Amino acid sequence: MECCNFAVIDTETNWNDEVMSIGIVAADARSKEKIDSLYYIISPEYQVGGIYSAELGFCEHGISVANRKQALKEIRQWLDAYKIEKLFAYNASFDKRHLWEYAMFEWYDIMRLAAYRQYNRAIPACADCCKTGKLKRGYGVEEIFKMLTGDDRYSETHNAVRDAEDELRIIQLLGHGLQQYEIARI
């Protein structure tokens, strides 16, 4: 029996490889529809700057600026309120490594299904794949989102909460139940 909720989480890092923003989306496990979201800009880490600093979005509604300890405490309370035990991320080992305080959660890598022909029916027959069925290249969020939606105009924003929403959309478009992601647990 699946739990009732799960979350998709994304981080952006600064030039020092420190988390400067965290976006997280809660979703219903059955419908995979968004329930709620949170977005934190981490201070003072964001002030270091990074490749995606321009995408932080200080003017967005619902944004919180906090130090890492406070942000993670508030996110944890939010996760607990929604009874979330499973965190999904695209290239989840990156986010899990940067959010080591959340090691007690079950982490799942969306990419482990999205990049494989046997789990992603949108991968074209002509795509260059390994014997395992994994795409040899072009399996980042942007390429997979375009493949699944047919929207060639899509561009990944590198804003943590918007990216988490896009990664939830990838889960929806792949169409697998959460139990299928057991092979993607890290």
Side-chain angles (χ1 to χ4, degrees):
M1 179 80 179
E2 293 180 359
C3 66
C4 296
N5 299 318
F6 68 99
V8 179
I9 194 165
D10 187 68
T11 60
E12 296 299 333
T13 55
N14 64 18
W15 294 120
N16 296 333
D17 198 32
E18 301 163 320
V19 174
M20 67 176 180
S21 65
I22 303 169
I24 187 162
V25 178
D28 178 84
R30 290 172 194 84
S31 69
K32 297 182 193 66
E33 292 298 318
K34 176 183 169 180
I35 299 168
D36 197 3
S37 62
L38 284 179
Y39 180 48
Y40 281 85
I41 294 177
I42 309 302
S43 181
E45 287 79 357
Y46 83 89
Q47 295 166 338
V48 170
I51 193 167
Y52 300 115
S53 289
E55 303 301 329
L56 286 171
F58 281 96
C59 298
E60 293 184 23
H61 176 72
I63 187 172
S64 297
V65 179
N67 66 51
R68 180 182 176 105
K69 184 177 180 181
Q70 185 64 31
L72 292 176
K73 177 184 172 190
E74 291 175 15
I75 292 169
R76 177 63 194 258
Q77 290 169 343
W78 183 83
L79 290 167
D80 289 346
Y82 283 110
K83 297 178 174 35
I84 292 171
E85 299 173 356
K86 297 180 180 198
L87 299 179
F88 288 72
Y90 207 92
N91 190 16
S93 59
F94 177 86
D95 296 289
K96 184 178 182 181
R97 183 175 66 250
H98 285 86
L99 297 173
W100 52 268
E101 298 92 336
Y102 289 171
M104 77 292 290
F105 286 92
E106 297 173 28
W107 283 80
Y108 298 87
D109 192 345
I110 301 163
M111 185 172 63
R112 290 196 184 169
L113 270 68
Y116 284 82
R117 185 183 304 278
Q118 54 270 48
Y119 302 110
N120 183 347
R121 62 187 171 279
I123 295 174
C126 62
D128 195 13
C129 293
C130 301
K131 289 181 182 180
T132 61
K134 183 180 182 184
L135 286 165
K136 289 186 176 179
R137 66 187 86 46
Y139 52 85
V141 169
E142 188 167 326
E143 295 90 352
I144 293 295
F145 194 95
K146 286 178 179 181
M147 195 181 296
L148 287 165
T149 63
D151 180 2
D152 289 333
R153 296 171 298 152
Y154 169 79
S155 180
E156 187 177 7
T157 63
H158 296 285
N159 170 290
V161 72
R162 283 191 238 132
D163 287 354
E165 289 171 347
D166 291 347
E167 292 164 19
L168 173 59
R169 183 76 177 123
I170 288 172
I171 289 173
Q172 293 166 342
L173 291 166
L174 287 171
H176 301 293
L178 294 188
Q179 70 280 359
Q180 187 69 53
Y181 285 87
E182 281 303 316
I183 62 168
R185 189 171 177 177
I186 57 168

